[in-house]
Amino acid sequence: MFARLRGLIVDKGPEFLALPVSLTPFAVKKAALQQLLNWQFRHALAEGELDFLQGRTLGIEIADINLRWITTLQQGRLSVSRDAEADVWFRGEANDLLRVAAGRADPDMLFFQRRLLIEGDTELGLEVKNLMDAIEPETLPTPLRTGLQQLAAFIEAGMTQDAKAAEARAGNSC
């Protein structure tokens, strides 16, 4: 019973998040995203590892929860907007991107499965992908890392349950 419920939550969870995300004013999302991004990448910003974003724009779209923003580097800080065109877009679904953030999914594998789309300036996209690959989950604060790991494990278990259920249905005759 719990496994079936977990599979349903993993499958339908992003749909449930889409409504509150779409109703949240962009100014609130912008403030939260800028705070989170600048905090998470504070060391990379200090060491100049994100200088390649100066004057360039990176778009992120999480389609299944209707969340989309554009990031650039301005005056040594990451800035978020919604009205600019991006040089490169990273598009994916919430469960996949969360697993990437937790270090439990390989962006290359998702890219080749067409679950992570990278469109636009391929050089910039490669630099961003390499930065994603270089992020060590151990650098995250323990509560955030633990939460991401637990949520990613929950998602993976739900995805496994969905795959098993689909496999069982495929074996049934009509």
Side-chain angles (χ1 to χ4, degrees), residues 159-172:
M159 293 169 82
T160 302
Q161 181 63 30
D162 273 356
K164 287 179 182 174
E167 199 174 277
R169 284 191 305 270
N172 293 339

Side-chain angles (χ1 to χ4, degrees), residues 26 28-39 67-69 80:
F26 187 77
V28 173
K29 292 185 264 194
K30 176 181 177 173
L33 286 167
Q34 282 183 170
Q35 180 86 16
L36 178 66
L37 291 170
N38 282 293
W39 178 71
L67 183 58
R68 171 186 164 123
W69 74 91
V80 171

Side-chain angles (χ1 to χ4, degrees), residues 54-76:
Q54 186 70 45
R56 300 167 91 187
T57 53
L58 162 66
I60 307 287
E61 182 175 359
I62 309 171
D64 56 346
I65 62 170
N66 299 320
L67 183 58
R68 171 186 164 123
W69 74 91
I70 295 155
T71 301
T72 192
L73 184 66
Q74 293 180 340
Q75 300 172 349

Side-chain angles (χ1 to χ4, degrees), residues 3 6-8 10-11 152-163:
R6 178 177 39 212
L8 184 63
V10 168
D11 185 44
F154 184 87
I155 289 168
E156 288 173 346
M159 293 169 82
T160 302
Q161 181 63 30
D162 273 356

Side-chain angles (χ1 to χ4, degrees), residues 98-105 135-157:
L98 192 130
R99 291 174 47 239
V100 167
R104 307 245 337 210
I135 295 173
E136 297 293 328
E138 296 78 32
T139 63
L140 296 172
T142 302
L144 180 57
R145 180 180 65 239
T146 302
L148 277 173
Q149 291 293 333
Q150 290 175 346
L151 191 52
F154 184 87
I155 289 168
E156 288 173 346

